[in-house]
Amino acid sequence: MADIVTIGSATMDVFVECDDANIVSVRSLKKKSEFMSYSYGAKIEITDFASQVGGGGVNTATNFANLGLSTAAIFKVGDDIYSKGLFEFFKTRNVDLSYVIQNKEESTGFSIILTSFEGDRTVLAHRGANAHIKKCEINFDAIKNAKLLYIAPLNGDSNKVLDDIVKFAKENDTAICFNAGTTGIKKGFNYLKKILESAQIVVMNKEEASMATGIQLRSDTKEEKFSTMLIHPDLKAMFKKLKVSDYQIIVITDGGAGAYAYDGKQYFYCPCFDGPVTSTLGAGDAFASTFCASLMRENKDIEKALKMASINSAGVVSEFGATRGLLTFDEIERRLSNSPDYVCQIEAE
């Protein structure tokens, strides 16, 4: 049995890079939106093309195993060329796939990732089998015997198993790291609160945290310098609402602006680790899973876990693929020791 079990999606990702992609900004009084655009009706030449495995379940399982942790994965695939590619990928990774669900009647998840010259991306996703995980298909003994259950976003009908797996893990003293997805968030905070109450670690990006709490980050309330105010007051309000149990650590990521954490006593801010940006796909999965693994390794040292997660995430965004740039703990430690000026900011409650 594995120490860490991940459950989430598995996809075959096709990366498309095109220098002719345009970034269009649209602004209104209350918000700003950006869109990737191509000339309508035109035939566009591709600059670069690659295919990789992906999905929250795959990315996090790969990372946990790469960090040297005993890892098993639960995800659902079809019986097609894409599932064969996924299984081929895992031949060189030390991940237990005996709990993977395979259904010949369904198709494996598939995504087309359109990458911009800025390194960001737009994803066209076909959920396939990912959206149809059923309770009867899950091996609950694997969860029972694990030290940590990492729950990546579960979309579509698969979200219906969330209550059952969280309740089971809690009853069997398996720690939970919950990376919330939009399907669960859209059910409302009262639903989400039941899941949050059972999770020791909760990770969301800033947009998800805003959606979950109903709190908007006001652009007219500027952050002051670190000497007076580290955390935006609206971000503090999000933390306060999301932290529904004393034992929880809440993490809110903010893309290139860094990440924040709150344990009920202190707020932490960790800037992004400096490095080249090729593609941001998989950065969030690398950050969240590395944070969990580092907390286990570093005796719940939140500051160091944030820095280690940021360093590993920086490795991922430097490569074209969601798992290509993943680092081992030894590699992360070396980069950290070679960067003495890389620090987190901490503010007391």
Side-chain angles (χ1 to χ4, degrees):
M1 292 291 183
D3 289 337
I4 294 180
V5 173
T6 70
I7 182 167
S9 61
T11 65
M12 182 60 71
D13 294 334
V14 175
F15 295 82
V16 177
E17 188 173 4
C18 177
D19 289 343
D20 291 332
N22 301 298
I23 307 300
V24 180
S25 296
V26 178
R27 301 180 184 181
S28 65
L29 183 63
K30 295 185 178 180
K31 67 177 182 178
K32 174 185 175 182
S33 301
E34 292 188 327
F35 300 86
M36 188 183 300
S37 71
Y38 299 89
S39 297
Y40 185 65
K43 186 175 184 179
I44 309 295
E45 292 291 331
I46 293 173
T47 307
D48 201 1
F49 170 90
S51 59
Q52 299 283 335
V53 301
V58 168
N59 295 342
T60 53
T62 303
N63 186 39
F64 281 124
N66 193 62
L67 292 170
L69 299 170
S70 171
T71 307
I74 299 173
F75 53 78
K76 190 172 184 178
V77 296
D79 184 10
D80 48 32
I81 188 172
Y82 305 123
S83 64
K84 289 179 174 63
L86 281 161
F87 289 128
E88 185 66 28
F89 167 83
F90 276 110
K91 283 183 178 180
T92 58
R93 273 79 182 174
N94 191 25
V95 176
D96 183 354
L97 299 183
S98 59
Y99 312 121
V100 170
I101 307 153
Q102 191 167 22
N103 188 325
K104 295 181 179 180
E105 304 302 317
E106 299 184 72
S107 60
T108 303
F110 182 84
S111 295
I112 299 173
I113 295 96
L114 305 174
T115 307
S116 79
F117 57 87
E118 293 179 330
D120 216 335
R121 76 285 186 271
T122 294
V123 181
L124 308 177
H126 170 60
R127 300 296 182 189
N130 293 314
H132 304 290
I133 298 175
K134 300 173 184 176
K135 180 182 177 180
C136 63
E137 296 173 322
I138 296 173
N139 188 312
F140 281 88
D141 282 342
I143 297 173
K144 180 179 180 179
N145 291 288
K147 294 178 181 177
L148 174 71
L149 172 65
Y150 182 99
I151 306 173
L154 295 167
N155 297 292
D157 289 342
S158 295
N159 194 257
K160 294 176 182 177
V161 305
L162 186 56
D163 283 336
D164 291 316
I165 61 174
V166 167
K167 181 181 178 182
F168 182 85
K170 184 177 182 180
E171 290 174 347
N172 288 277
D173 296 322
T174 300
I176 299 168
C177 177
F178 177 50
N179 189 348
T182 55
T183 300
I185 290 172
K186 287 178 179 178
K187 291 184 177 182
F189 189 76
N190 287 336
Y191 165 80
L192 196 64
K193 186 178 179 180
K194 295 186 297 180
I195 309 300
L196 297 176
E197 288 172 343
S198 300
Q200 283 76 17
I201 305 167
V202 178
V203 183
M204 297 185 187
N205 64 38
K206 185 176 67 176
E207 292 72 26
E208 290 165 342
S210 178
M211 187 189 308
T213 60
I215 299 169
Q216 297 297 317
L217 197 67
R218 296 166 293 173
S219 59
D220 60 339
T221 306
K222 303 295 183 184
E223 289 188 46
E224 300 176 19
K225 294 183 181 295
F226 288 139
S227 59
T228 57
M229 182 182 292
L230 172 61
I231 306 294
H232 192 293
D234 295 334
L235 204 58
K236 285 186 176 181
M238 292 181 197
F239 275 124
K240 292 285 189 181
K241 188 167 183 178
L242 291 170
K243 186 170 171 54
V244 296
S245 298
D246 291 339
Y247 52 77
Q248 284 177 313
I249 298 170
I250 311 295
V251 178
I252 297 177
T253 61
D254 192 13
Y260 304 84
Y262 177 59
D263 65 354
K265 298 178 181 178
Q266 293 178 308
Y267 296 97
F268 301 79
Y269 167 69
C270 184
C272 282
F273 191 74
D274 192 33
V277 177
T278 300
S279 171
T280 58
L281 192 75
D285 291 332
F287 186 96
S289 51
T290 304
F291 181 79
C292 291
S294 299
L295 277 182
M296 295 171 66
R297 184 176 187 262
E298 303 296 330
N299 195 27
K300 297 184 179 179
D301 185 335
I302 295 174
E303 181 181 3
K304 187 169 184 181
L306 284 170
K307 290 191 286 187
M308 297 181 93
S310 184
I311 289 171
N312 206 7
S313 183
V316 168
V317 303
S318 70
E319 298 281 349
F320 203 59
T323 59
R324 273 190 167 182
L326 290 172
L327 305 171
T328 64
F329 269 131
D330 287 343
E331 291 168 329
I332 293 171
E333 289 280 14
R334 280 197 294 271
R335 295 193 184 191
L336 187 56
S337 63
N338 291 330
S339 306
D341 295 331
Y342 182 58
V343 296
C344 292
Q345 302 288 332
I346 303 174
E347 179 182 323
E349 175 67 272

